[in-house]
Structures are given as C-alpha cells and as structure tokens.
Amino acid sequence: MKKQKVAVAIDFGTHGTGYAWALIDDDKRQVHPYMRWKDQPAPTAKNLTALLLDSEGDVLAWGYEARRRFNSRSAGPDVRYLKAFKMSLAPASTEGMEVGELTATSLSADEAKNLVTLYLKQIFRLAVEEVAASGFTEEEIRWCLTVPAIWGDYEKQLMREAAVAAGLPDDPKRLLLAYEPEVAAHHARVSGARTAQFTGKRPSLMSVGSRFLVADCGGGTVDITAYRAVSGNKLEEIGRECGGKFGSEYVNQAFLEKVLVPRFGSYDAIDRINDQQPAALLGIIEKWEEAKLHFSAEHDDEIIISIPVSIDRCLDEESRKSLAELQDGVTDEIVITAKEAQELFEEVVPGILSLVDKQLGEMRSQRRNAPGKELVVLVGGFGNSPYLRQRLQQHLEGRADLLVPPDPQAAVLFGAVHYACSPQIRARRARMTYGIASTTRFRPGVDPEEYRYEGPDYPLCRNRFSVYVRGGESIPVGNWVTRGQWPIWPDQDAMSLVVYAAREGYPQYVTDKGSQKIGSLRVDLSSVMHLPLSRRKVQVSLQFGETEIQVTAVLQESGEKVEAVLDFEPLS
Amino acid sequence: MHEETRGPDGRFSRLEAMLDSVVGDTTELRAYIGSVQAEVEELRQTVAGLEARLDLVVASWTAFRTDLDTEEAESHRTLADRYVNFVEQSLYGVARKAVKEKHGDIPPDRTARMVAGLCSELFGRADVSERRVRRILGVRADHELAQTVQRLVTQARGIVAESVRMKTRGFWEFDHIPGAPLDESRQQAWARCDESDPVEFVVAPAYVAGGTTYSRQRVRTSAS
C-alpha cells in the first residue's frame, strides 16, 4: 500500500456538503477547502446536498446547479429534485420531542444510500482531480467522512458502503469515519476558541484533563458528545452521546408553516406559488435562512424579506388580504417581528438545551459532583446563530462556560482534515452493551425453563448474553476484546455467532427488552473436527473504539483466522 | 588382494573436506547476502530521502497554486455574510423606519437611496461619522433612532476592522456604470428591482478579497 500523503475530508451534511484537504506531513498544515461550486450564489465551503435525477435515476446535476436547473425548469419534465436525504439514512428519531419530518425525506434507507453514493461520486471526482493537480495519485489519499455521533452501527455501515460504491477505498485505514462533534472538538482546540463572553481568558481545552462538551448543531441533527483531553494531544470520549432532530432546517420548516402559510393565506397558496415560481419562493426561504443566522434576541429588530415581483403576480386577493391583515398593511415584504422569530427558534431550542443538560448531568456524575464549571463548545452551522448562543449562555449561567470557535460552521470540515492527518481519539465510550448470544449451564430456579435444553453432559440454557463490553465503558481505540467460544455438540461443524447490542448495562439474555441482534458471523469448524471438543476453541474478538465494530474469529488450535462477514442490522 | 584404507584418515577425511568446502561456501554466501542487504538498505534510505525531497517540492508547489482556496477564504465568506445581513436587515430596517416616519409610507426608491447613502458613508470612507449617518437618515441626536445609529456605526466599524485584519485584505467595491445592464457576475438586483432593467445606482458595494467577490453589489435598477 502506498504511503498516504494527502488527507481529504468530506463533511456530508443534511443541508450542505463540502470537502477540504491538506498535506499530511506539511508542518504548516495548510487546509484547502473547495469553494468554487457551480452556480453557487457566493463562494462557500459547502455545496447544497441536492441532486437532480432524470427518469432513469442518473444524475443530471448536483448541488447548487441542481437547484438552479430544477427551479428554472431547464432540465425538462420527468426529473426528480432531492435534498436532505442524509436524514433518511437514519429514519428512527433518537430523543427529544417529535418535531416532525423535513419535506422530501420520505425515502427508504436503501434509496437514501443510493443517493448518498451518487452525490459522493461527484465529490470524489472533484477532490481527486484537485489533489492530482498537485502531483498526487488517488492511492496516496487518506479519506475521512464525517457522520453524526448519534448514528448507530447500521447507519455507519450504510455510509461506508455508500462511500465505497462512490469510489472511496474499501480499507478502514484509508477511509476513516469520524464523528462530527469529535472532529469539531479538535478544530475548536487548535483554532483558538474563546469564551462567548470574550473575557480574553484562554479556555482550557488544551490542558490535559480538561473536560468539555461539544454541541454540534447542524442543519438536520444536533449531536452532543463529551470529551476529556488526555496526554499526547489526544481526546478520550466520556459521557454518553445523545442528539436529536433539532437542526436549523426545522426552524426553516416552522418559518414555512407559521409565517409564510398564514401570510399567503393557505397551504394551497404556497403550493400554487411553488408551482409557478419555485426559485422565487426558495429565494424567500433562503433570505430567511441568512437573516435567522444573524438574529439576536438583544434587539427588537424585525426581519424583513422582500416579496419578489414574480411572486407578487401570483398572489390572489385572499393572499394580499392575509398579508395586509397580519402586517399592518404591508404587502410587498414579509415582516417578521422579533417575537415571531423567537417563537420559531423555540421550536428547537428547548430540545437542544435539554440534551445539553443531560450530557452535563452525566459529566457531573462522573466527577462525583465535585465543584467546578464544565465547558460547552458550540459548533456547526446553527452554532453561528447569536440567538442560540444567547439562549445557551443564559441557560448555562453559573454551570458552564460557553466556547465558540471563530468559524463554527467550518469546524467539522476543517477538524475532519486534521483528524485524517493524525487521528486523535485515544479512547471512546461504548455506545451500548455488546456481546454474543451464548449457551451456558442451566441454573435451576434462575434461568427460564423455556430456555433449557439437554446438552451432551448436563442441562444447558440458550439465549444467554455473553457481554464483551458494557455500555459507557471506556475502550482504548483499536483494542480487541476477546472471549473463547466452544461448539456444543461433537458433530457440530459450524458455529453461528450472533452479535447483540443492548441498551441496558447488564443484560442477562439476548431476548431482554432493549436487546437486539446487530450482526452475525459464521465460523466453519470443519478443519478442527478431528480434534476433541475441548480443543475446538474459537477466539472471538470484537474490536471497539473505532467508529464501527469489527469482528474476527480465530480457531485457536490452528491459528487459522476464519473469514467472517458481519452485517449490521437496523435497531428498532 | 589389495585392501582399501579405512578410518579417520581415509573416507572420513574426504567427508570432512567436503564439509569444510560447504561451510566455506555458506560463509561466503552469508557475507554476500549481508552486503546485498546493506546495499538494499542504503538504496531504501536514498529512495526515502528522494521521496521526502520530492514531497517538499510538491508541498511548495501546492502552497503556490493559485487555484486553491485557503481557510482564510472561509473567513472572508463569513465576514461577507455578516456584511450582507447588516446591509439588508440592519441598514434597511433603520432606513425603512426613517423613511416611513418622514413620508408616511415606504417608497422603495427613497429607502434604496437612503441605504446607498448609509453604505457609502460606512464602507466608502475611512472617517465614518455618526453625525453624517444621522443626517442621511434625517434624525437628530436626540431622536429615538440615535442609539440605533450608534450601534450601527460600531457594527460597521467592526466589519471593516475585521476585513483589514485578514492576511489578504478585503475591500468594498462601488464601481458601476449607470445605465449599463446588470452584470450578474458582480451585481444583483436590490429588493424588488427588475434585473432586466439597467443599473441606476449601487445600493450596497460588493465585498471583494484576493480577486474573489464574496458578496455582489446590490444595485437599484430602473427602466426610466
């Protein structure tokens, strides 16, 4: 394998996706974001996560170009415009209130995976071309793809499969999956994040032992994770990851439903406008998006958005009447009062604060309620919002300091580049309790009778949960947890190893509530059938600590490593 | 009858000689392999050294490429976003209030001219004056908008100061040709102006840095 000399990171987001790269051995570590997307309104490090497909499902355009062509109808009929499909890779919501689904996200995980592949292919092509212009080959690139921390193993596996199908290498050493808040934490440390109060005091993110929480607030999801800085400039994950669908896209959704619909009179009016002038309607929502990221609760300023003449022509009497009634006679602009704007933010802010509280509680209990303030680092595009920052700051008063890096929107992207250059994470906390379904000696009066069956020598109990790692346990990256497994029957020529995950820390049986099969592998024992049962031991190892779990099985007697395929299955 | 001589000085001495020869050859072979290994190691180090030098050359070339963006470009982008919002919400908001107070309604032309005046003052001069800003808005020092003016001037100064601090300094571009068609590559129509009409005047200048336009000019267009 060629030595990797270039690190390319892809921040794949619900709303926008971008890539950046750097030379791995460059002392100055100059990061190069790509900012020249076709049809972008202004230079930006993120292209729209959007695709325009023809009737065959082939890509006609992507990103801003896809949106332009769709809105201008220049691509013709029978085309599909899709966006926000990242959310459909993980359709099950995690925690928090039910905010409702974003539009255009009712896709199956497989459909979403296909769209992710189509999109990543475009990014891959661009990135390889740009890096090649410096004289590097594709084989010299180490890739890093970001994923939300709240994603389960199944979603991460889907993402990896989509990336490989798009052309990225099928090698865990060359294609890293990194958690978004994790890389953002690293960027915050190196970029000089300061306290939101700007006291001038340097935060202690760099100090060994410093503990901080990262709130990654993006377009779709909000991920909350906690870390501790350990020696060697590395991070150890602490606390338990949590998150939910409280991203800024939901504030946009609320804007559509609670501002535009009442002002234009009805959903039908919106549909009519969207049908006749989709680009102009989108322009209004974008203006809202821009204005909301600068809205502050400190002032009573209204947010004013011009209604384009093209939309004005679509308005009927009812729409004009609604506008005039709700806006003191103003019909050529959308005027949103400060109070209304606050109410839109409050659709998601309480959920975000609740998640932060939960994580802070976990961090506090770990340090046994010793006095002291925690640090909260705010990153992600939504982290740019002064309103969100102010609410968070007020909420954390006396309990934690709030830190914001100079460019929270780019924190994940730039952080991912640095991570790809030198992966920083030393240890992680296990997301759940993991183990293997096994059989043990039956315990009368303890094990359920229905699990009992007669073994060759004594009664046995099936469905026992053989724990490899407990939820919350800190596991060094790359560490293998190994247990021995033996076949039951002398004529058993294969062993089926079924891997389970449980939300509880001490599951007894794989049938316990909250326990679910997440994958399986089959071990062929034919090469050791000539040996007595006691010598047909299989060393089953689960490697934790990386973004995914790897499983291997080794026949101890022969040292033969059995090829095994572990398929993750979605958690219900 | 002739008897062959047997014993240590006979057959075994022949075997010994053969063994000595094999040992000698093996020793020679070992020495040869050792020297080859040493040469290979030397070659490896030479190749590694050449590769490292080549990497330095490539790194230098990459640093000088003019088609690549840097982290600073992202900083210019965020500053441009802040500037645009300042113009389209803060300046427009205060101009709107001032025009409404003076004229009773909000004629688009008047507000556009007022915003243009504000932008010219705040981003077209080194010596920004609160007094001149109040004059543009038509408000006195004791007017309720005076505090807003103070805040806006401070914000504008902050935006300009940040552009100056960048390694590649950003600047505001007002150049335009009245009566010319709107140039989409550097201009966009202000508010509800028709982009097919010719440019009348610049409402808000473009923000440019390093030859890249991070925010296009906002221009008022008019058919007349």
Side-chain angles (χ1 to χ4, degrees):
Chain A
M1 187 174 66
K2 268 190 162 186
K3 184 186 171 191
Q4 283 108 60
K5 297 178 181 172
V6 179
V8 177
I10 301 174
D11 177 11
F12 185 78
T14 305
H15 177 76
T17 298
Y19 80 86
W21 60 281
L23 301 182
I24 292 174
D25 293 330
D26 183 8
D27 290 336
K28 291 180 193 146
R29 191 69 64 76
Q30 179 76 275
V31 176
H32 302 286
Y34 186 83
M35 296 179 70
R36 301 169 194 214
W37 313 103
K38 194 166 183 208
D39 289 331
Q40 62 184 4
T44 173
K46 298 273 198 94
N47 201 353
L48 279 187
T49 310
L51 286 167
L52 186 68
L53 306 180
D54 63 18
S55 53
E56 305 289 309
D58 293 325
V59 175
L60 288 171
W62 61 294
Y64 284 108
E65 189 195 359
R67 186 178 70 179
R68 180 191 62 77
R69 289 181 63 179
F70 178 70
N71 286 334
S72 67
R73 300 179 207 276
S74 63
D78 299 330
V79 296
R80 287 173 74 203
Y81 176 71
L82 297 124
K83 57 174 188 164
F85 40 84
K86 176 184 176 182
M87 303 292 287
S88 295
L89 269 183
S93 60
T94 52
E95 301 186 40
M97 29 183 220
E98 287 295 326
V99 183
E101 290 301 320
L102 296 170
T103 55
T105 56
S106 49
L107 300 165
S108 68
D110 276 343
E111 281 174 313
K113 182 180 149 190
N114 180 50
L115 294 175
V116 170
T117 297
L118 291 175
Y119 193 93
L120 286 180
K121 262 189 191 163
Q122 314 301 322
I123 295 276
F124 173 76
R125 179 182 48 83
L126 263 186
V128 168
E129 265 173 33
E130 190 172 66
V131 167
S134 267
F136 296 104
T137 64
E138 200 183 310
E139 289 74 29
E140 291 173 306
I141 299 176
R142 181 187 300 153
W143 299 85
C144 176
L145 190 51
T146 62
V147 293
I150 57 168
W151 272 13
D153 300 312
Y154 176 64
E155 292 80 23
K156 285 180 291 191
Q157 179 172 293
L158 283 185
M159 193 65 172
R160 184 177 280 279
E161 287 171 2
V164 170
L168 279 75
D170 188 7
D171 176 355
K173 288 190 171 59
R174 286 191 56 211
L175 172 57
L176 313 175
L177 290 194
Y179 289 126
E180 286 156 11
E182 193 166 85
V183 296
H186 185 63
H187 177 70
R189 295 172 85 213
V190 301
S191 69
R194 295 197 176 276
T195 55
Q197 297 95 334
F198 296 100
T199 58
K201 195 173 141 195
R202 189 98 190 159
S204 58
L205 284 179
M206 303 297 288
S207 316
V208 171
S210 72
R211 304 156 60 88
F212 54 95
L213 175 159
V214 177
D216 180 8
C217 302
T221 57
V222 166
D223 285 340
I224 314 281
T225 330
Y227 299 95
R228 184 170 70 94
V230 295
S231 60
N233 201 32
K234 296 190 191 309
L235 295 176
E236 177 184 5
E237 190 183 332
I238 59 177
R240 296 286 288 268
E241 89 296 344
C242 57
K245 295 181 180 179
F246 300 118
S248 70
E249 288 284 328
Y250 292 98
V251 180
N252 292 351
Q253 183 96 335
F255 169 73
L256 182 71
E257 290 168 4
K258 298 188 175 182
V259 172
L260 288 190
V261 167
R263 276 157 174 74
F264 288 135
S266 63
Y267 279 99
D268 286 342
I270 296 285
D271 287 342
R272 189 178 65 248
I273 294 168
N274 191 40
D275 200 46
Q276 294 175 28
Q277 298 290 338
L281 182 61
L282 186 62
I284 289 181
I285 295 174
E286 280 184 350
K287 281 292 177 195
W288 156 252
E289 167 74 30
E290 290 161 14
K292 109 185 172 226
L293 287 179
H294 297 275
F295 172 73
S296 161
E298 283 173 345
H299 310 291
D300 281 333
D301 295 339
E302 295 161 331
I303 294 177
I304 304 157
I305 301 170
S306 275
I307 297 176
V309 171
S310 53
I311 287 188
D312 192 70
R313 291 193 197 112
C314 301
L315 299 180
D316 57 15
E317 279 313 303
E318 193 192 323
S319 295
R320 288 182 206 285
K321 192 176 161 200
S322 299
L323 275 168
E325 276 174 3
L326 289 171
Q327 299 187 148
D328 286 336
V330 174
T331 58
D332 59 350
E333 291 168 331
I334 302 287
V335 181
I336 306 139
T337 64
K339 183 167 177 291
E340 281 177 309
Q342 283 183 31
E343 283 170 6
L344 297 178
F345 275 93
E346 292 301 313
E347 290 282 319
V348 299
V349 167
I352 296 172
L353 299 182
S354 171
L355 289 175
V356 169
D357 283 342
K358 187 174 173 178
Q359 188 69 267
L360 285 177
E362 180 74 29
M363 290 168 77
R364 200 158 292 123
S365 70
Q366 281 184 24
R367 57 181 177 82
R368 297 187 179 84
N369 294 314
K373 272 198 208 173
E374 310 288 359
L375 289 170
V376 174
V377 183
L378 182 60
V379 297
F382 198 12
N384 261 324
S385 161
Y387 183 84
L388 177 60
R389 287 190 213 178
Q390 282 151 9
R391 283 282 277 123
L392 205 40
Q393 210 167 308
Q394 281 164 7
H395 188 72
L396 295 172
E397 191 69 47
R399 295 188 292 143
D401 282 330
L402 180 63
L403 279 72
V404 186
D407 186 356
Q409 183 167 349
V412 170
L413 180 60
F414 294 158
V417 174
H418 292 294
Y419 174 82
C421 288
S422 50
Q424 292 291 318
I425 310 307
R426 195 182 75 108
R428 301 186 194 285
R429 303 266 288 185
R431 296 289 190 261
M432 305 181 79
T433 296
Y434 295 96
I436 299 224
S438 67
T439 296
T440 58
R441 191 191 282 263
F442 184 79
R443 299 171 295 177
V446 177
D447 293 322
E449 278 300 320
E450 60 265 31
Y451 291 168
R452 177 189 170 127
Y453 70 100
E454 288 305 314
D457 300 314
Y458 42 75
L460 297 171
C461 174
R462 62 169 66 91
N463 292 332
R464 289 299 307 278
F465 197 121
S466 173
V467 172
Y468 276 58
V469 163
R470 294 202 190 279
E473 199 177 317
S474 182
I475 313 150
V477 169
N479 204 45
W480 289 90
V481 180
T482 302
R483 302 269 187 275
Q485 305 282 345
W486 285 263
I488 305 272
W489 305 103
D491 59 348
Q492 188 178 342
D493 61 3
M495 193 188 289
S496 181
L497 298 168
V498 185
V499 184
Y500 280 80
R503 298 188 199 279
E504 298 300 322
Y506 295 89
Q508 294 295 309
Y509 308 98
V510 296
T511 51
D512 285 352
K513 192 178 169 193
S515 170
Q516 182 169 336
K517 175 183 168 186
I518 61 166
S520 61
L521 61 142
R522 188 176 175 280
V523 182
D524 183 356
L525 299 171
S526 52
S527 64
V528 293
M529 289 303 288
H530 63 285
L531 297 171
L533 259 184
S534 59
R535 288 174 60 194
R536 296 182 205 170
K537 181 180 179 183
V538 176
Q539 294 275 56
V540 180
S541 301
L542 303 189
Q543 185 188 42
F544 296 92
E546 292 297 338
T547 319
E548 305 125 312
I549 302 172
Q550 292 184 27
V551 185
T552 60
V554 176
L555 288 168
Q556 184 170 300
E557 195 67 28
S558 62
E560 182 189 334
K561 186 184 281 189
V562 178
E563 289 293 305
V565 175
L566 180 66
D567 291 319
F568 287 103
E569 291 168 32
L571 281 173
S572 58
Chain B
M1 211 158 111
H2 177 73
E3 279 190 22
E4 224 178 343
T5 310
R6 293 179 190 271
D9 290 334
R11 186 176 64 183
F12 293 134
S13 63
R14 231 180 25 252
L15 283 174
E16 258 186 352
M18 282 169 69
L19 203 53
D20 284 342
S21 173
V22 166
V23 166
D25 287 345
T26 305
T27 305
E28 266 182 47
L29 200 54
R30 275 206 185 108
Y32 178 71
I33 289 171
S35 74
V36 165
Q37 276 176 336
E39 270 187 56
V40 165
E41 182 52 35
E42 204 178 309
L43 276 169
R44 271 204 191 110
Q45 283 179 9
T46 304
V47 166
L50 284 171
E51 210 172 332
R53 288 165 74 180
L54 187 60
D55 285 348
L56 275 175
V57 169
V58 171
S60 298
W61 153 237
T62 302
F64 281 102
R65 276 175 67 178
T66 55
D67 61 327
L68 294 180
D69 289 307
T70 63
E71 285 176 79
E72 193 178 68
E74 174 64 14
S75 301
H76 281 298
R77 182 202 64 78
T78 56
L79 185 61
D81 274 358
R82 200 169 125 205
Y83 158 68
V84 166
N85 183 77
F86 177 71
V87 168
E88 293 185 344
Q89 296 300 325
S90 303
L91 292 188
Y92 178 66
V94 74
R96 198 169 171 270
K97 280 180 187 161
V99 166
K100 187 168 184 184
E101 196 175 289
K102 192 170 180 182
H103 299 277
D105 63 355
I106 312 169
D109 180 52
R110 283 190 198 276
T111 43
R113 284 191 189 282
M114 192 170 277
V115 175
L118 291 171
C119 284
S120 184
E121 173 64 29
L122 295 169
F123 299 102
R125 300 182 68 120
D127 58 337
V128 174
S129 155
E130 260 184 59
R131 186 177 53 81
R132 281 198 294 270
V133 171
R134 284 200 303 273
R135 197 189 311 146
I136 292 167
L137 290 170
V139 301
R140 298 166 68 96
D142 56 358
H143 191 279
E144 62 176 349
L145 283 179
Q147 267 198 339
T148 304
V149 167
Q150 197 179 52
R151 176 167 53 93
L152 293 178
V153 168
T154 304
Q155 281 179 332
R157 283 184 177 141
I159 291 171
V160 171
E162 201 167 316
S163 77
V164 168
R165 272 198 295 269
M166 306 267 202
K167 192 173 160 193
T168 307
R169 182 180 168 156
F171 62 94
W172 279 267
E173 195 215 53
F174 290 85
D175 286 349
H176 71 288
I177 301 172
L182 187 147
D183 177 358
E184 271 191 11
S185 67
R186 44 187 292 273
Q187 296 170 328
Q188 72 182 66
W190 169 258
R192 286 158 65 92
C193 292
D194 190 335
E195 54 197 22
S196 62
D197 286 337
V199 173
E200 196 181 343
F201 57 87
V202 169
V203 177
Y207 177 67
V208 182
T212 300
T213 301
Y214 289 92
S215 161
R216 292 179 289 169
Q217 280 180 353
R218 271 38 175 184
V219 295
R220 172 148 170 95
T221 64
S222 172
S224 57

